[in-house]
Amino acid sequence: MRASDPQPFPVILIEDDEDLREAIAVTLRMNKIDFVTHQRAETVIPLLRPDLKTVLVTDYKLPGMTGLDLLKIAQKECPDLAVVIMTAFADAKLAVEALRAGARDFLIKPFVPQQLIDIIARNQPESIQTSEVVTPTQASQLVGSEIRSPAHQLIAADPETIATFARCERVAGTDTSVLVTGQSGVGKELVARHIHLHSKRANGPYIAINCAAIPDTLLESILFGHEKGSFTGATKAQTGKFEQAHKGTLFLDEIGEMPATLQAKLLRVLQDKMVERIGSTELIQADVRVIAATNRNLQEQVKSGHFREDLYFRLAVFPIHVTELRKRPLDILPLADFFLSRYRMNIGRDELVLSEGAKKLLKTYSWPGNVRELENIIQRAVLLADGDQILAGDLELGDLGANSLGIAKNAIPDLSSTEEPIMDAPKSGTNIASDIDEIGQDIDSVERDHILKVLAKVDGNRTKAVEILGISARALRYKLKSYKEAGFINN
Ligand SMILES: Nc1ncnc2c1ncn2[C@@H]1O[C@H](COP(=O)(O)OP(=O)(O)OP(=O)(O)O)[C@@H](O)[C@H]1O
């Protein structure tokens, strides 16, 4: 495959140091990961397209354009692209800057090969990652209250979460359709994968697709496939995700975003267990277990006529709701420790632990961005911590988390102080959060208010907003779209 080939490589590596480039190349080759290398960021710009499915691993400091400059361009051209920034240990703070600008992950040099491989595995785009067959040896094993699999570890310490995963395991043995609901970043994808890994289909493929991330015009062909010449640009026949998921599981994320015409076709496929590629009349068998997810209220969408009722009932045979993080407080510290052990390994600081003040703050913060926000915060704090402890200030929860709950600014302690621990504000934050519930404001409006407040605070800069909110760029995009449709914003 050549660099100009329209089919992207799973990894694009940009590193100007020849020795390091070669060392990384050896690691990638040994792990059978296809890649292409570049010495300068500029040469990668022509490859950036909205549908680029790859992990871009780039050094920060390069001759000419920096890795950060490239990241900023990539954010515009292909906002869902996973960019991993490498920096030298002495420049670890640059990695924070990169995370703020939207980098998915970082590597502090020197790093061990396994760190690189883990990061690539974690950040594989859906279309590449999901075509993998997850073998039984990779399947999760229950270890006390922790459920583990190599690339996808699950933490379940709160009774609420333990019950959720138990529910997953109960339904896993059947072929029942499952509808996973919950706010953005609560772990819906993880739940879907867990069901697959515990099902009799675990030896088959697990294919995930995000209905909101794919333009409506492409979604049909991606789901159902097409024949050569069936539409302009269909230069070769393409199998759809249903065909690829034969004898496995298909995860349809953000199903509420699926256009009405496709809803009808999806319903037919679910009923008949057969697909017809675009431009073909041949019926192809698709023995697929479907798990759908949404952070919208699908029943409301059914009522308002935006989602087909018959499809809703077909998908929601077994509903699983994943609760917001703030409502399962016993998960917070185990999750924080779990992410801490993952990210401190990136910088070779195994001694790094959470201070008591940081733990207290984590336990009482409201977590509007749920587990994804917690992960982002720990990822950044690992870089910000100077000593052996992550202090409350390193979490940079600042006033936004507190303000989002309506706390007066002067009630917020100075989190930049390294003094430990004087965390009173979050306590009142928790009270205010429950006050909001008590006065009847539903979670969706709390979330919407928070997102719009954060956007206003960063002057509409979406890159900054997603970083603060701990949600993906695509999640923000479609949320804004739905607010616009509902008349909450003008543009
Ligand atoms: N119980 C958990 N244990 C470990 N990691 C978790 C857990 N729950 C969520 N995560 C991690 O949090 C991040 C967000 O989870 P996930 O993508 O599954 O959320 P989601 O609800 O599908 O989000 P979205 O609605 O935005 O697609 C992922 O990196 C995931 O691995």
Side-chain angles (χ1 to χ4, degrees):
M1 211 183 271
R2 299 177 318 277
S4 57
D5 196 304
Q7 281 303 309
F9 292 83
V11 171
I12 296 176
L13 169 70
I14 315 172
E15 172 57 66
D16 58 321
D17 180 308
E18 198 180 331
D19 292 341
L20 182 57
R21 200 170 58 240
E22 191 42 41
I24 295 178
V26 169
T27 300
L28 294 173
R29 255 182 240 120
M30 279 171 58
N31 284 274
K32 301 192 169 41
I33 298 172
D34 280 343
F35 63 94
V36 62
T37 61
H38 289 251
Q39 296 172 38
R40 300 179 67 99
E42 289 86 342
T43 58
V44 173
I45 295 175
L47 306 180
L48 299 175
R49 294 183 314 259
D51 60 342
L52 183 61
K53 301 276 181 234
T54 192
V55 180
L56 180 64
V57 182
T58 177
D59 196 12
Y60 188 108
K61 287 187 176 162
L62 291 162
M65 177 183 269
T66 66
L68 183 68
D69 295 333
L70 180 66
L71 167 69
K72 287 179 180 163
I73 296 174
Q75 289 275 301
K76 291 203 188 85
E77 299 295 324
C78 29
D80 295 326
L81 180 69
V83 179
V84 177
I85 295 270
M86 299 183 285
T87 66
F89 186 73
D91 296 328
K93 297 272 188 294
L94 293 178
V96 179
E97 199 187 335
L99 290 175
R100 289 206 173 104
R104 201 68 79 72
D105 223 319
F106 63 87
L107 277 162
I108 302 291
K109 299 182 217 170
F111 48 84
V112 295
Q114 193 54 44
Q115 287 172 245
L116 174 72
I117 299 304
D118 287 348
I119 281 183
I120 290 172
R122 279 206 302 273
N123 290 291
Q124 281 294 289
E126 282 160 0
S127 66
I128 296 173
Q129 180 183 50
T130 54
S131 54
E132 273 172 19
V133 175
V134 184
T135 63
T137 45
Q138 288 177 309
S140 314
Q141 317 146 17
L142 205 58
V143 185
S145 60
E146 258 185 38
I147 305 161
R148 294 181 172 279
S149 72
H152 300 278
Q153 290 180 318
L154 305 183
I155 301 297
D158 197 285
E160 177 78 33
T161 316
I162 294 172
T164 304
F165 286 121
R167 205 168 149 74
C168 293
E169 284 153 31
R170 243 196 331 271
V171 75
T174 69
D175 262 348
T176 311
S177 301
V178 178
L179 179 67
V180 191
T181 56
Q183 286 181 4
S184 224
V186 284
K188 297 186 293 297
E189 228 266 72
L190 224 61
V191 158
R193 206 176 268 275
H194 190 65
I195 295 173
H196 171 76
L197 290 171
H198 280 81
S199 75
K200 55 181 187 293
R201 295 170 176 267
N203 268 336
Y206 170 84
I207 306 279
I209 175 165
N210 186 308
C211 303
I214 299 166
D216 291 357
T217 45
L218 271 185
L219 190 56
E220 181 175 8
S221 122
I222 288 181
L223 274 176
F224 308 114
H226 64 253
E227 291 299 336
K228 184 176 172 184
S230 52
F231 54 85
T232 320
T235 51
K236 54 181 183 186
Q238 176 76 47
T239 58
K241 297 292 175 192
F242 264 97
E243 272 178 75
Q244 292 167 23
H246 184 54
K247 300 225 176 283
T249 305
L250 180 61
F251 176 57
L252 299 174
D253 200 2
E254 298 178 16
I255 187 80
E257 304 302 306
M258 183 173 274
T261 45
L262 285 195
Q263 291 176 24
K265 187 157 178 181
L266 173 62
L267 182 66
R268 259 198 325 276
V269 174
L270 293 177
Q271 279 163 347
D272 304 344
K273 295 205 169 293
M274 295 281 191
V275 271
E276 221 172 83
R277 290 186 190 172
I278 302 173
S280 162
T281 49
E282 191 197 340
L283 287 171
I284 301 165
Q285 203 198 347
D287 169 16
V288 173
R289 197 256 185 94
V290 169
I291 303 178
T294 180
N295 53 17
R296 290 188 167 212
N297 185 334
L298 264 198
Q299 274 162 314
E300 283 299 319
Q301 283 192 268
V302 169
K303 271 192 215 144
S304 64
H306 288 101
F307 202 83
R308 289 181 70 112
E309 189 175 29
D310 42 10
L311 179 60
Y312 172 77
F313 285 120
R314 172 113 345 223
L315 292 172
V317 179
F318 195 92
I320 293 184
H321 182 71
V322 189
T323 311
E324 301 88 272
L325 183 56
R326 71 183 174 89
K327 291 191 180 161
R328 39 186 173 109
L330 295 183
D331 280 344
I332 296 173
L333 289 187
L335 276 168
D337 277 335
F338 165 69
F339 293 130
L340 177 58
S341 46
R342 175 186 286 174
Y343 291 111
R344 74 183 167 200
M345 205 179 76
N346 283 7
I347 54 168
R349 290 177 65 185
D350 289 348
E351 78 293 350
L352 198 58
V353 291
L354 289 162
S355 70
E356 287 309 312
K359 286 184 190 168
K360 194 171 171 193
L361 182 55
L362 288 172
K363 277 197 287 192
T364 48
Y365 180 65
S366 63
W367 299 112
N370 293 298
V371 185
R372 185 174 293 112
E373 184 185 15
L374 173 58
E375 178 170 2
N376 291 348
I377 280 165
I378 298 291
Q379 186 185 38
R380 188 177 58 209
V382 161
L383 291 166
L384 290 173
D386 280 326
D388 287 352
Q389 293 199 338
I390 290 181
L391 304 177
D394 297 326
L395 300 173
E396 289 198 334
L397 295 178
D399 55 302
L400 268 170
N403 260 351
S404 68
L405 298 173
I407 298 171
K409 226 178 172 163
N410 58 13
I412 299 161
D414 176 11
L415 298 182
S416 60
S417 153
T418 51
E419 293 286 320
E420 295 278 313
I422 26 146
M423 300 286 100
D424 288 336
K427 203 161 156 236
S428 51
T430 314
N431 292 340
I432 290 168
S434 51
D435 286 347
I436 289 171
D437 286 345
E438 274 162 31
I439 60 170
Q441 194 182 5
D442 65 274
I443 274 306
D444 284 348
S445 6
V446 174
E447 183 189 81
R448 187 180 60 240
D449 286 354
H450 181 67
I451 288 176
L452 295 180
K453 246 183 227 163
V454 169
L455 261 173
K457 190 135 191 149
V458 296
D459 297 324
N461 182 324
R462 292 191 188 190
T463 307
K464 281 192 192 149
V466 292
E467 199 258 325
I468 292 166
L469 291 162
I471 62 177
S472 64
R474 62 164 203 268
L476 180 64
R477 238 189 353 263
Y478 94 73
K479 273 177 194 300
L480 291 176
K481 192 169 144 238
S482 68
Y483 301 160
K484 194 176 158 197
E485 279 164 13
F488 290 106
I489 51 173
N490 295 325
N491 50 47

